[in-house]
Amino acid sequence: ILAFNNETGFVVNIIKILFIRKFKTVLRVNNSIKKKIKYSNNFYDTCFKKFYNYFSLNLSDTIIAQSKEMKNEISEYLINKQKIEVINNLLSKNFKENIFFKEKEKYLLFVGSLTRKKNPLMLLDIYNQFNKNNTKNIKLKIIGDGSELEIMQNFIFLNNLEENVEIIKAIPQVKLQKYYSKALCLIICSKYEGFPNVAIESLFCGTPLLASKCIGGIKELIQDEINGISFEEYTIDSYLKGLNKLLNYDFNYIKIKETSKRFRVDKIIPKYENIL
């Protein structure tokens, strides 16, 4: 049985023990466990997460980590550290090959759920400060929906950003490609990640990434001045400096797209087949 998160992995392994079933359990970890625990809601939530993560990891026969960074983190929880395999996320088949890249338009892009984990309020703070010296009239497009939407709308209103920021409700992947292709860059400012799919999708569309290296998997995704700009700190100031550097750099969109080849279905699926 292949479980795609630790909660499911915990339940599957308990069933396996209680009913004395002989099947192999493969657990795919999809987020930073340390940071998931760090950003827990309260003491009891923290204890519960520590409990089920520890047992789901150690009871599983094989563990799939999305990045090398995640593998190192998971190792700290394991008794048997030899059962971890690194398999990156794959690019959805909904993204089609483009022969020509569309001309870039003057907007920055954010794609993801509007939740505390993705930290969209930090994104608005970054853009608000950037916009004070925004002589090129660069806009911000946000695609997604979630619990932070109303707070974001209030921020946009209070800072007079209605003409500059557009929030688009979550749309199908087949329609996302045009937004990626036309954007100047994709901004990722999540508090934590496993290996962000939006980053892979953006690279496939020839659009550079802007993100902090402390976000899971970013060190293995961004090749500075080839397919994006990354930095050590997770601060608004570091994002502003990185954004100014990115907007003044002449990226080769063909080379950006080439860095996404290793995430194609034909590259990733055989790795799963070898494990299963």
Side-chain angles (χ1 to χ4, degrees), residues 43-75:
F43 173 77
Y44 298 104
D45 187 35
T46 299
C47 292
F48 180 64
K49 285 177 180 176
K50 285 181 178 179
F51 174 79
Y52 77 70
N53 277 296
Y54 179 83
F55 283 99
S56 62
L57 290 169
N58 282 289
L59 291 174
S60 297
D61 297 298
T62 303
I63 296 168
I64 296 173
Q66 296 177 349
S67 66
K68 293 176 183 176
E69 183 179 341
M70 186 181 283
K71 177 182 179 180
N72 293 335
E73 180 185 300
I74 293 169
S75 296

Side-chain angles (χ1 to χ4, degrees), residues 147-161:
S147 57
E148 299 285 283
L149 177 59
E150 187 176 342
I151 301 172
M152 293 171 65
Q153 289 170 331
N154 288 336
F155 183 99
I156 291 167
F157 174 75
L158 291 172
N159 290 279
N160 301 310
L161 294 172

Side-chain angles (χ1 to χ4, degrees), residues 220-231:
E220 296 162 54
L221 277 163
I222 295 181
Q223 300 172 36
D224 283 314
E225 299 183 355
I226 294 177
N227 65 3
I229 298 294
S230 63
F231 34 86

Side-chain angles (χ1 to χ4, degrees), residues 73-245:
E73 180 185 300
I74 293 169
S75 296
E76 297 178 22
Y77 295 84
L78 289 178
I79 297 169
N80 176 12
K81 303 182 188 300
Q82 305 303 313
K83 61 180 181 179
I84 313 176
E85 298 286 342
V86 176
I87 303 179
N88 299 140
N89 290 358
L90 54 77
L91 178 73
S92 168
K93 286 186 176 181
N94 289 325
F95 285 81
K96 308 300 180 184
E97 288 288 345
N98 283 335
I99 298 175
F100 300 105
F101 289 110
K102 296 176 181 178
E103 186 177 348
K104 296 292 183 182
E105 295 181 3
K106 289 186 176 181
Y107 69 85
L108 313 172
L109 183 64
F110 171 93
V111 179
S113 59
L114 307 182
T115 58
R116 289 177 61 195
K117 174 193 168 187
K118 300 292 183 181
N119 211 0
L121 284 175
M122 181 180 182
L123 170 75
L124 288 177
D125 249 333
I126 294 164
Y127 181 76
N128 188 38
Q129 293 195 36
F130 166 77
N131 195 51
K132 291 173 183 176
N133 299 305
N134 183 11
T135 57
K136 296 181 180 179
N137 195 30
I138 295 171
K139 311 286 188 183
L140 172 64
K141 291 182 186 285
I142 298 170
I143 301 177
D145 204 350
S147 57
E148 299 285 283
L149 177 59
E150 187 176 342
I151 301 172
M152 293 171 65
Q153 289 170 331
N154 288 336
F155 183 99
I156 291 167
F157 174 75
L158 291 172
N159 290 279
N160 301 310
L161 294 172
E162 295 96 328
E163 297 297 319
N164 301 81
V165 179
E166 180 183 6
I167 299 180
I168 304 164
K169 287 189 176 181
I171 56 177
Q173 280 188 330
V174 291
K175 294 183 179 180
L176 263 179
Q177 192 163 354
K178 69 175 183 179
Y179 287 99
Y180 282 123
S181 298
K182 293 180 180 180
L184 295 173
C185 77
L186 178 77
I187 301 177
I188 300 172
C189 55
S190 307
K191 291 180 179 178
Y192 62 94
E193 287 282 356
F195 199 79
N197 286 321
V198 293
I200 299 170
E201 294 163 2
S202 182
L203 295 178
F204 177 79
C205 295
T207 297
L209 307 174
L210 178 72
S212 167
K213 291 179 182 178
C214 70
I215 300 172
I218 290 300
K219 291 178 182 177
E220 296 162 54
L221 277 163
I222 295 181
Q223 300 172 36
D224 283 314
E225 299 183 355
I226 294 177
N227 65 3
I229 298 294
S230 63
F231 34 86
E232 296 292 342
E233 301 83 7
Y234 183 67
T235 62
I236 291 172
D237 186 56
S238 60
Y239 270 90
L240 288 169
K241 290 177 181 177
L243 180 56
N244 286 320
K245 183 177 179 180

